Amino acid sequence: MEITEVRIFPKEGLNNKLRAYATITIENAFVVRNIKVIEGKNGLFVAMPSRRMKDSCPKCGHKNEVRSKFCNECSASIPAKAPVAATPEAQHDARQSEHKDIAHPITVECRERIQRKVLDAYEAEKGKPKSI
């Protein structure tokens, strides 16, 4: 698999951990958008595109975002799930369970290859002078 193009879309704002969005093209034939470049505790990493998970309302069945307190359709109260432990790791795991990858590499080698290409393109983009 060859990544034939990487486009970087930097995000402004130093208080935000999201540094950029990326789009990759594979073999000049398949595009993956909304790959995120994120500043973590141990440096930059790449997060694959994802969507928020939804839970059904117990009254009407409408799909609401996870951890919603009220249904967006019928306004019924949605019972809270079990409380999350106060450790940072437990809170991180809880946030991760709210999202599901839309597309993701299956092997470690593929993930590393995508991450290296995206981070190299991000570093090159940071070094460019800003256009007026």
Side-chain angles (χ1 to χ4, degrees), residues 64-77:
N64 297 285
E65 290 185 0
V66 172
R67 294 202 303 175
S68 294
K69 293 181 179 177
F70 299 96
C71 177
N72 287 333
E73 184 70 21
C74 69
S75 302
S77 177

Side-chain angles (χ1 to χ4, degrees), residues 23-35:
T23 296
I24 63 171
T25 304
I26 300 168
E27 306 266 340
N28 288 318
F30 190 79
V31 174
V32 180
R33 299 180 193 275
N34 294 327
I35 296 172

Side-chain angles (χ1 to χ4, degrees), residues 7-100:
R7 292 185 181 184
I8 300 294
F9 305 94
K11 300 300 291 180
E12 300 293 329
L14 296 175
N15 294 332
N16 194 347
K17 292 181 180 181
L18 176 63
R19 298 293 182 227
Y21 284 102
T23 296
I24 63 171
T25 304
I26 300 168
E27 306 266 340
N28 288 318
F30 190 79
V31 174
V32 180
R33 299 180 193 275
N34 294 327
I35 296 172
K36 298 175 192 99
V37 177
I38 298 173
E39 180 80 43
K41 286 190 293 188
N42 299 321
L44 292 171
F45 68 93
V46 170
M48 298 307 290
S50 63
R51 64 180 168 88
R52 292 192 84 164
M53 299 297 293
K54 298 192 177 215
D55 277 339
S56 295
C57 171
K59 184 177 177 187
C60 72
H62 180 76
K63 297 277 188 181
N64 297 285
E65 290 185 0
V66 172
R67 294 202 303 175
S68 294
K69 293 181 179 177
F70 299 96
C71 177
N72 287 333
E73 184 70 21
C74 69
S75 302
S77 177
I78 298 175
K81 303 278 183 188
V84 176
T87 65
E89 293 81 17
Q91 292 174 347
H92 174 76
D93 291 345
R95 283 192 302 274
Q96 293 298 316
S97 68
E98 295 176 12
H99 293 83
K100 187 172 190 173

Side-chain angles (χ1 to χ4, degrees), residues 105-124:
I106 294 173
T107 65
V108 172
E109 295 80 20
C110 183
R111 177 167 188 64
E112 289 173 352
R113 189 176 325 146
I114 290 171
Q115 180 156 296
R116 179 61 16 226
K117 287 284 246 183
V118 169
L119 293 181
D120 287 350
Y122 173 72
E123 293 298 334

